[in-house]
Amino acid sequence: MITLLLIVLAVVGCLVVMRREAGALAAIAVLAVLGIVGLALDAEVIGTLLLIAAIGVAVCGLKPIRRLWLSPRLFAMYKKIAPRVSETERVALDAGTVAWDGELFSGRPDWQKLLAFDNPGLSDEEQAFVDHQCSVAAGMCNAWEIARERADMPEALWTYLKNERFFGMIIPKAYGGLGFSAKAQSAVLQKLAFNETLMSTVGVPNSLGPGELLLKYGTEAQKDHYLPRLADGREIPCFALTGPRAGSDATSIPDVGIVCRGLHDGEEVLGLKLTFDKRWITLAPVATVVGLAFRMFDPDNLLERGESDIGITCALIPRETEGLQIGRRHHPIGSPFMNGPIRGKDVFIPLDYLIGGLDMAGQGWRMLVECLSVGRCITLPSGAAGIGRYAVGWSGGFTRIRRQFNIAVADMEGVQEPLARIAAKAYITQAAVIQTANTIDHGVKPAVPSAILKSQLTEFQRDVLADAMDVHGGRTVTLGPRNYLGIGYSANPVSITVEGANIMTRNLMIFGQGAIRCHPYVLDELAAKDANDFDAFDRLFFRHIGLIFGNGARAFTQALGLGKPGVPFDGIAAPYAQDAARLSSAFSLCADAAMASLGSKLKQREMISARLGDVLSNLYLLSMVLKQWHETDRVDNEAALFHYSCRLLLNRAEQAMADLFDNLPNRALGMTLSFVTQPVGRRWHKPQDTLTREIAKAISTDSALRHKLTRNTWDTWEEGQKDNALARYNALLANAERAEAIYRTLNKARAKKTLPETALHPEQWIDAGLAAGVLSEEDAAFMRAHEAEVLDMLTVDDFAFDAFVTHQTVREPAPAEDETTV
């Protein structure tokens, strides 16, 4: 009995020490005291074992002892197995900053650090722009007209965008721009997201491109000349990075610039002779100034740097530059936004065209990754958030007015499932975009979160659009001016592919970059290795060991429901925050285990890396939902959506962990991690049906939750604007309860044979109901108008037989009667 008690006390004591990361001395004290007690109580075996364990901890953990024998061996081994960080990777790792993502990597997230990013919302000026200018621009768009009839936006819309400085959102007011916050940029793009061409056209100049590069790195002369012209649309920019052989691997660009002398404006100057072949360049066909990334060489040492390979460099080249081949178009799938190739052979430019001047020569890769960390957080994630808002509005509206089997299809459980998924992924996406943009406004440059948002939210967008297409059925598989969804659905692969393809981002970047960049110790350990700094390595490594034991103890005990951390959330949110903390500890432990067991091979084990990235991604998204819940006003039915969203994300995180354990090459390690982090199995299942039904009803009726989810969308209509399906659905839903009551009255009358059997259409029911005294004149008039609007919203387009023929087939003349046809 004494032996068992001492074992339990030793385990509990060591778990407490590890949870608190109290260090070797505390562990030695626990083991030594219990060992002495065991000897004193005649439990010699367990007492001796505990004292031996205390001596082992002392030999390995006490600094003066371990440095004599253990640390030198560990340092030598570490230098052999630690992955080599290339210069390209180092530049990427140094770009951006670490904020909440680092807390999740630590295994002990401090929620107050997340809540410290207070969110004041949009300024009055920014909100007014979203309300007015964005609505005017949206009202000029019809997806069919832009995609199939014009293959471009209307000229009046281009003019309006320029005049209202849509292209200058990131440019400070001092240079004539709007000087908007990151949140305002996101809000603008979300509102415009119902049309892919419009959103892309506005988004790209305000993302990675000449404007941002000039702001951060341009010379004063370049800023003074270009920024006012970019702000008011006199200049349309594009940025040429990718090419036939350099897509995701942007550092491998084969485009070159050779330092030489040449003529510019009639004078011989020092410059560059450029040869390049770029493709997939957004706005290239209409751009007036081209940002170009290339590899710069100085073989004749004309710059007197003593090096031939200067490195990746960025230049700004006017469209009229001799030899620049520009103007042709690609045809992006589903959306005709301006996109095309740019080529040039032996194009001479002066050194003044280098962004930032000669001082920034060779700094192009650093420039690009630093800018990308912000731009990738805004443009495509905001597009996904905007699509989510419109999908909620369109899908909820359509499924309420579409009736089959005498009920609205929104009341069918098979339809309610995708409606709830649409709402939850829209809710998560909105929270992630808003809260991450808010951190940018606080000065954060979120490198790892940008990869999370780009890949995860565009995948959510794909899911949302697929579900929206499913619930619309034939209404949106038939293209034409009335179809508000189909063209955007077909354009979704663009978002999946550009700005870092999702396959590459998920498998290589989220964890691959985060494991080094966000980990509390790994980056510093690698720096100590490179500097051969034994003292720094010894200090960092054993703190790292303490973190591993701490995370293991926290993950294990919290999985058993013991020692839940305090969190600054209400009773609804607290359990999710506590479990996020538990999974953060489990994730950090698994990350260290994967890096230790696979070493440098982890780079090639992309599926392992992807699963670890999935855990981190879902924890990050969950954190954003928790913060959004904490600081915004709640509406009726929002709690159901909050529960659904949190459970969905926790289920996904646990599933990613389970897949990781099943596929670690070291099977013993996988089973050990599974036991430590999930000793009683998985805790989170998919959301319950009760939540699904409540959410589906809320978004398909004129509810406060529907209005919250569709806030800051184009939901108004004015004379002269294009048709607005969302505004029309909102109007129908405002009267849906009255219409539903009348439908029930008519159905009862039909069941009782009060209405003639020949009354088969709703319009005939209304007339027959009025004649039979079932309906009043007022109700009949209301229902006639309601049904006319419903029928118009259900109607799809049709065209002349040869309307889609672009090349008429020339038929061969029929053979003469005396000819033989074989």
Side-chain angles (χ1 to χ4, degrees):
M1 186 66 182
I2 293 296
T3 297
L4 179 60
L5 179 61
L6 289 174
I7 291 173
V8 171
L9 290 174
V11 170
V12 172
C14 288
L15 284 173
V16 171
V17 169
M18 288 190 293
R19 276 181 60 108
R20 297 180 178 180
E21 297 179 35
L25 278 175
I28 293 167
V30 169
L31 295 169
V33 168
L34 291 175
I36 293 170
V37 169
L39 293 177
L41 297 178
D42 295 328
E44 291 89 354
V45 175
I46 189 62
T48 302
L49 291 175
L50 289 172
L51 288 174
I52 292 173
I55 294 170
V57 173
V59 171
C60 296
L62 293 179
K63 184 176 179 180
I65 302 176
R66 74 178 185 237
R67 288 173 64 114
L68 294 176
W69 71 281
L70 181 59
S71 295
R73 289 171 173 80
L74 290 172
F75 193 34
M77 183 184 302
Y78 185 82
K79 286 191 283 189
K80 291 180 181 178
I81 66 173
R84 187 183 70 84
V85 180
S86 67
E87 183 59 31
T88 297
E89 291 173 315
R90 188 168 296 281
V91 169
L93 290 171
D94 290 340
T97 56
V98 176
W100 181 247
D101 44 328
E103 289 295 311
L104 292 174
F105 247 99
S106 74
R108 45 189 177 186
D110 182 353
W111 294 97
Q112 291 294 351
K113 291 185 178 179
L114 177 63
L115 299 182
F117 293 112
D118 61 295
N119 184 0
L122 304 184
S123 69
D124 292 342
E125 178 187 7
E126 291 170 337
Q127 187 63 58
F129 189 92
V130 172
D131 292 340
H132 177 66
Q133 279 89 337
C134 290
S135 294
V136 173
M140 298 183 186
C141 288
N142 175 271
W144 175 263
E145 177 187 348
I146 290 174
R148 297 295 295 267
E149 294 177 356
R150 291 179 177 273
D152 190 8
M153 298 188 304
E155 185 60 35
L157 178 54
W158 276 103
T159 301
Y160 185 78
L161 296 177
K162 294 175 183 178
N163 290 343
E164 296 299 326
R165 301 175 188 255
F166 276 83
F167 300 135
M169 287 193 291
I170 65 170
I171 296 175
K173 292 182 178 180
Y175 292 102
L178 295 175
F180 277 0
S181 65
K183 292 190 295 293
Q185 297 169 46
S186 177
V188 168
L189 296 178
Q190 288 185 57
K191 187 158 187 174
L192 304 183
F194 77 99
N195 186 274
E196 170 71 18
T197 299
L198 176 60
M199 194 281 292
S200 299
T201 301
V202 172
V204 168
N206 290 288
S207 182
L208 176 63
E212 189 172 8
L213 292 170
L214 285 170
L215 274 172
K216 294 184 177 180
Y217 311 107
T219 65
E220 290 305 314
Q222 289 172 338
K223 292 178 183 179
D224 291 341
H225 175 74
Y226 277 113
L227 290 179
R229 300 172 65 85
L230 290 170
D232 62 20
R234 283 175 289 169
E235 300 280 7
I236 299 295
C238 69
F239 191 81
L241 176 61
T242 55
R245 289 186 170 86
S248 298
D249 183 11
T251 60
S252 68
I253 54 176
D255 311 289
V256 298
I258 307 297
V259 179
C260 63
R261 295 190 178 277
L263 290 177
H264 178 69
D265 290 341
E267 297 182 13
E268 185 177 88
V269 298
L270 194 61
L272 292 161
K273 186 179 292 184
L274 297 167
T275 297
F276 50 91
D277 184 4
K278 304 288 191 178
R279 67 181 178 191
W280 300 321
I281 312 305
T282 299
L283 292 181
V286 295
T288 61
V289 60
V290 176
L292 184 74
F294 58 92
R295 193 70 172 265
M296 183 173 171
F297 293 92
D298 182 17
D300 298 324
N301 198 29
L302 297 178
L303 300 179
E304 299 180 352
R305 289 190 174 192
E307 56 181 346
S308 174
D309 187 354
I310 305 299
I312 295 176
T313 303
C314 297
L316 205 55
I317 307 173
R319 183 186 183 98
E320 63 271 12
T321 300
E322 185 178 354
L324 187 65
Q325 300 173 33
I326 188 171
R328 293 183 64 81
R329 294 180 65 174
H330 298 310
H331 189 184
I333 185 170
S335 175
F337 66 90
M338 289 295 169
N339 187 277
I342 305 175
R343 302 182 179 91
K345 182 174 176 59
D346 294 337
V347 177
F348 182 79
I349 63 168
L351 292 178
D352 289 347
Y353 284 9
L354 299 184
I355 297 177
L358 192 55
D359 290 342
M360 296 305 296
Q363 300 299 309
W365 179 237
R366 177 172 67 86
M367 294 161 65
L368 294 173
V369 295
E370 287 180 351
C371 289
L372 190 61
S373 67
V374 174
R376 194 161 52 173
C377 262
I378 300 295
T379 306
L380 291 175
S382 297
I387 284 294
R389 292 181 188 272
Y390 285 102
V392 166
W394 293 331
S395 301
F398 174 81
T399 56
R400 180 55 57 189
I401 70 166
R402 175 65 168 165
R403 300 179 67 83
Q404 295 287 275
F405 310 107
N406 291 327
I407 62 171
V409 298
D411 293 330
M412 297 178 176
E413 290 194 351
V415 174
Q416 289 174 340
E417 280 191 282
L419 285 179
R421 289 196 298 263
I422 291 169
K425 290 180 179 178
Y427 189 67
I428 295 166
T429 303
Q430 290 175 26
V433 168
I434 291 168
Q435 296 301 336
T436 305
N438 184 56
T439 66
I440 294 172
D441 289 332
H442 281 271
V444 175
K445 298 178 180 177
V448 173
S450 73
I452 291 173
L453 262 62
K454 192 276 162 181
S455 62
Q456 294 291 320
L457 300 192
T458 55
E459 291 294 340
F460 275 13
Q461 176 179 317
R462 172 156 44 190
D463 296 341
V464 163
L465 286 169
D467 278 334
M469 288 291 291
D470 283 353
V471 300
H472 277 83
R475 173 66 176 84
T476 52
V477 299
T478 308
L479 288 178
R482 292 174 175 269
N483 192 327
Y484 44 78
L485 184 59
I487 289 174
Y489 169 78
S490 64
N492 188 67
V494 175
S495 298
I496 298 295
T497 304
V498 302
E499 289 194 16
N502 284 2
I503 289 177
M504 187 251 335
T505 302
R506 174 175 176 262
N507 286 272
L508 296 178
M509 293 187 65
I510 295 175
F511 181 76
Q513 187 177 10
I516 298 176
R517 186 73 182 91
C518 300
H519 194 284
Y521 300 114
V522 168
L523 188 60
D524 291 335
E525 287 170 345
L526 290 172
K529 178 205 72 169
D530 293 339
N532 201 32
D533 188 341
F534 172 75
D535 291 337
F537 172 80
D538 177 74
R539 180 180 68 257
L540 292 164
F541 183 82
F542 282 92
R543 287 181 181 174
H544 190 165
I545 294 298
L547 177 69
I548 292 173
F549 280 109
N551 282 325
R554 284 187 289 270
F556 181 74
T557 55
Q558 290 174 21
L560 295 174
L562 304 173
K564 293 182 179 180
V567 294
F569 297 102
D570 64 17
I572 294 177
Y576 301 118
Q578 289 169 335
D579 231 49
R582 172 183 72 87
L583 289 175
S584 171
S585 296
F587 163 71
S588 185
L589 176 67
C590 293
D592 279 317
M595 288 188 285
S597 63
L598 292 172
S600 60
K601 294 180 181 178
L602 184 56
K603 282 185 178 182
Q604 285 76 48
R605 301 305 296 265
E606 294 177 19
M607 289 185 282
I608 298 294
S609 179
R611 293 179 183 113
L612 287 163
D614 288 345
V615 179
L616 177 63
S617 296
N618 283 288
L619 291 179
Y620 183 86
L621 296 178
L622 175 63
S623 304
M624 300 300 102
V625 172
L626 289 168
K627 185 171 187 291
Q628 185 86 339
W629 171 264
H630 180 76
E631 65 185 22
T632 59
D633 295 332
R634 292 81 178 267
V635 299
D636 291 344
N637 307 116
E638 187 176 353
L641 184 56
F642 176 74
H643 285 304
Y644 187 110
S645 301
C646 291
R647 293 174 188 186
L648 172 67
L649 292 169
L650 286 167
N651 174 265
R652 284 160 50 99
E654 286 195 332
Q655 183 61 55
M657 269 191 178
D659 293 342
L660 171 70
F661 302 148
D662 290 342
N663 288 280
L664 279 173
N666 187 323
R667 298 305 307 126
L669 177 61
M671 289 186 286
T672 301
L673 289 173
S674 179
F675 171 75
V676 170
T677 61
Q678 298 177 351
V680 293
R682 292 175 57 178
R683 298 183 60 175
W684 295 102
H685 302 286
K686 292 183 178 180
Q688 300 98 324
D689 292 348
T690 53
L691 297 175
T692 295
R693 287 190 287 267
E694 182 176 347
I695 294 165
K697 182 177 180 180
I699 70 165
S700 63
T701 55
D702 188 31
S703 70
L705 182 60
R706 175 183 167 86
H707 287 293
K708 183 170 185 175
L709 290 175
T710 58
R711 187 178 298 162
N712 284 339
T713 53
W714 180 46
D715 58 0
T716 58
W717 185 85
E718 296 180 9
E719 190 70 31
Q721 291 187 323
K722 303 294 184 181
D723 187 48
N724 187 342
L726 181 56
R728 295 177 69 181
Y729 281 134
N730 287 345
L732 284 167
L733 262 56
N735 295 313
E737 286 190 15
R738 181 181 179 185
E740 185 61 37
I742 297 174
Y743 282 131
R744 287 196 295 268
T745 298
L746 291 172
N747 284 336
K748 288 179 182 178
R750 293 174 66 206
K752 293 178 179 179
K753 308 294 185 180
T754 304
L755 305 185
E757 293 182 352
T758 55
L760 301 178
H761 294 290
E763 293 81 2
Q764 295 171 325
W765 304 344
I766 296 166
D767 292 340
L770 179 62
V774 173
L775 294 184
S776 66
E777 288 280 0
E778 182 181 356
D779 283 346
F782 165 76
M783 283 303 291
R784 288 191 187 101
H786 181 80
E787 278 300 324
E789 179 68 357
V790 166
L791 182 59
D792 194 60
M793 289 302 294
L794 298 179
T795 299
V796 298
D797 298 287
D798 53 70
F799 301 86
F801 178 79
D802 60 353
F804 309 129
V805 178
T806 55
H807 295 286
Q808 295 289 341
T809 302
V810 179
R811 296 187 177 182
E812 295 294 332
E817 291 185 2
D818 58 347
E819 292 180 356
T820 301
T821 302
V822 178

